[in-house]
């Protein structure tokens, strides 16, 4: 374990001008005291690690030192070939570049590892779009992707309902969610970060001006936060239901998973019949009616009364169809 950590420390210092003890500790998942001991061990082994003291101090490699400990293990090589999503690369116009990169990596691998791309591809495949839906590549996706890679500001026209708005954007990153492409961008001039569906852009024109990226922007964290905000924002109504044991297990598959989890966590103990009563946030009574029908007799709507009456009508119709 320590040998692997020392190698990682050298590679981190090789990839950056300098790093503080706190930064190294965070990357290596150890204490700063351990970082100090590891740096001393590397120095004693002949790796020129230089420690600068003071508030702006840290660790760096001196003399243009480059390690040759960059060979890939089989697991690492296979993981590398898994890191791309072929369909997404093709839609962004990067398929040729990705193919060339894979060939170069394959050529650089040891002969015993050159089948890593084939073994990985035969064992794992990512199919991003939803079932029963023919994915459509937004026409402007390659242009947006080019701007993202080059950090170029874009002038864009965007459909918002029946209106078309004009924005100058700093495109930070692309997200592919369930077959739909989204752009995470900041309105030029230090505006807020927002999310845009690529298929709603009507024009995108990249200018010559590059923007300076906010180094504190974390695309995965930003997307996770916005996705949760969106899920919460559409849950504007609430229904009260009783669930059987099977209904409890099926609820996360019938309604929004976040809504189901929070409702079940707040629920009390089962009643004498083993049923659990929950207050469930939903988008609307109409949506709740469509979703909860999937649970059949494993759910009873307690309220509101109008939704309960809908299910009562459904039950009467089903009884008429199947009652004999």
């Amino acid at each position: 374990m320590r040998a692997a950590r020392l190698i990682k420390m050298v590679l981190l210092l090789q990839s950056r001008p300098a790093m503080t003890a706190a930064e190294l500790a965070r990357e290596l998942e150890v204490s700063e005291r351990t970082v100090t001991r590891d740096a001393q061990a590397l120095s004693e082994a002949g790796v020129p690690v230089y420690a600068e003291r003071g508030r702006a101090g840290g660790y760096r490699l001196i003399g243009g030192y480059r390690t040759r400990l960059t060979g890939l293990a089989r697991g690492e090589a296979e993981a590398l070939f898994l890191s791309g999503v072929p369909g997404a690369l093709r839609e962004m116009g990067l398929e040729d570049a990705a193919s060339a990169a894979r060939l170069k990596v394959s050529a650089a691998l040891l002969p015993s590892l050159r089948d890593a791309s084939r073994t990985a591809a035969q064992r794992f495949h990512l199919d991003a779009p939803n079932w029963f839906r023919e994915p459509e590549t937004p026409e402007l996706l390659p242009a947006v992707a080019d701007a993202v890679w080059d950090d170029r500001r874009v002038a864009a026209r965007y459909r918002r309902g029946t209106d078309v708005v004009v924005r100058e954007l700093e495109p930070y990153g692309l997200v592919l969610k369930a077959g739909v492409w989204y752009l995470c961008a900041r309105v030029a001039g230090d505006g807020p970060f927002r999310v845009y569906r690529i298929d709603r852009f009507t024009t995108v024109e990249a200018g010559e001006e590059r923007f300076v990226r906010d180094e504190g922007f974390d695309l995965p964290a930003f997307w996770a936060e916005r996705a949760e905000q969106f899920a919460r924002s559409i849950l504007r109504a609430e229904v009260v239901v009783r669930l059987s044991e099977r209904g409890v297990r099926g609820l996360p598959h019938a309604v929004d998973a976040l809504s189901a989890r929070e409702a079940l966590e707040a629920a009390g103990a089962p009643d004498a019949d083993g049923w659990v009563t929950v207050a469930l946030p939903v988008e609307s009574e109409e949506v709740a009616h469509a979703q909860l029908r999937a649970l059949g007799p494993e759910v009873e709507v307690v309220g509101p009364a109008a939704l309960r009456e809908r299910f009562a009508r459904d039950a009467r119709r089903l009884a008429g169809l199947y009652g004999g």
Side-chain angles (χ1 to χ4, degrees):
M1 288 293 292
R2 191 189 185 199
R5 190 176 70 240
L6 292 174
I7 292 172
K8 184 176 181 179
M9 183 175 179
V10 173
L11 293 174
L12 285 169
L13 293 174
Q14 183 174 297
S15 65
R16 307 178 193 181
M19 294 182 69
T20 66
E23 290 171 337
L24 284 167
R26 187 165 54 251
E27 291 280 356
L28 299 172
E29 298 181 350
V30 296
S31 67
E32 293 186 30
R33 191 171 182 178
T34 298
V35 168
T36 301
R37 290 198 296 265
D38 285 353
Q40 184 176 353
L42 287 170
S43 181
E44 291 172 354
V47 178
V49 178
Y50 177 71
E52 296 177 322
R53 303 190 181 279
R55 176 178 295 182
Y59 295 91
R60 63 184 178 89
L61 296 174
I62 60 176
Y65 179 84
R66 306 288 294 179
T67 179
R68 294 184 180 181
L69 297 174
T70 53
L72 293 176
R74 169 167 291 277
E76 294 168 334
E78 291 175 345
L80 176 63
F81 286 106
L82 282 173
S83 62
V85 184
L89 292 169
R90 181 174 59 254
E91 291 176 7
M92 288 189 291
L94 298 173
E95 185 176 27
D96 290 344
S99 177
R102 285 193 294 270
L103 285 172
K104 290 179 180 179
V105 172
S106 294
L109 291 174
L110 294 173
S112 60
L113 299 180
R114 287 178 184 164
D115 65 341
S117 62
R118 181 182 60 80
T119 58
Q122 292 303 318
R123 286 164 174 78
F124 300 97
H125 177 69
L126 177 60
D127 185 9
N130 278 332
W131 286 102
F132 314 119
R133 176 177 177 176
E134 189 66 29
E136 295 183 3
T137 303
E139 182 180 350
L140 296 174
L141 177 60
V144 176
D146 285 345
V148 169
W149 281 114
D150 290 343
D151 294 337
R152 292 188 184 276
R153 287 185 175 181
V154 298
R157 297 173 65 86
Y158 185 79
R159 293 194 310 275
R160 179 176 292 170
T162 58
D163 299 326
V164 175
V165 297
V166 179
R167 292 283 186 270
E168 185 177 4
L169 301 174
E170 297 174 352
Y172 268 67
L174 290 167
V175 175
L176 177 60
K177 171 70 172 179
V180 180
W181 283 96
Y182 297 88
L183 172 67
C184 300
R186 183 165 65 179
V187 178
D190 203 29
F193 285 99
R194 295 175 179 169
V195 176
Y196 302 86
R197 277 186 60 144
I198 301 294
D199 57 8
R200 293 182 183 167
F201 284 113
T202 58
T203 61
V204 173
E205 296 181 4
E208 295 299 320
E209 182 181 2
R210 285 187 167 88
F211 63 92
V212 178
R213 295 180 68 89
D214 180 352
E215 294 301 325
F217 179 78
D218 184 328
L219 179 60
F222 171 78
W223 177 258
E225 179 183 352
R226 287 304 174 91
E228 183 170 336
Q229 288 177 0
F230 173 75
R232 292 183 186 279
S233 70
I234 64 174
L235 302 176
R236 302 185 182 93
E238 183 178 271
V239 301
V240 179
V241 298
R242 292 177 68 238
L243 298 162
S244 68
E245 185 177 342
R246 290 182 63 183
V248 168
R249 294 197 301 269
L251 187 66
H253 305 287
V255 303
D256 176 77
L258 174 65
S259 171
R261 184 179 72 247
E262 293 185 350
L264 292 172
E265 288 175 352
D271 59 21
D273 297 324
W275 286 51
V276 175
T277 299
V278 302
L280 181 69
V282 294
E283 186 174 346
S284 66
E285 289 186 21
E286 187 74 29
V287 172
H289 179 237
Q291 293 175 331
L292 293 173
R293 281 189 303 184
L295 297 178
E298 309 304 327
V299 61
E300 177 194 358
V301 174
V302 178
L307 182 59
R308 181 179 175 87
E309 178 56 30
R310 281 194 183 198
F311 277 87
R313 288 197 300 269
D314 289 346
R316 290 191 291 270
R317 290 183 61 195
L318 288 170
L321 289 172
Y322 297 103

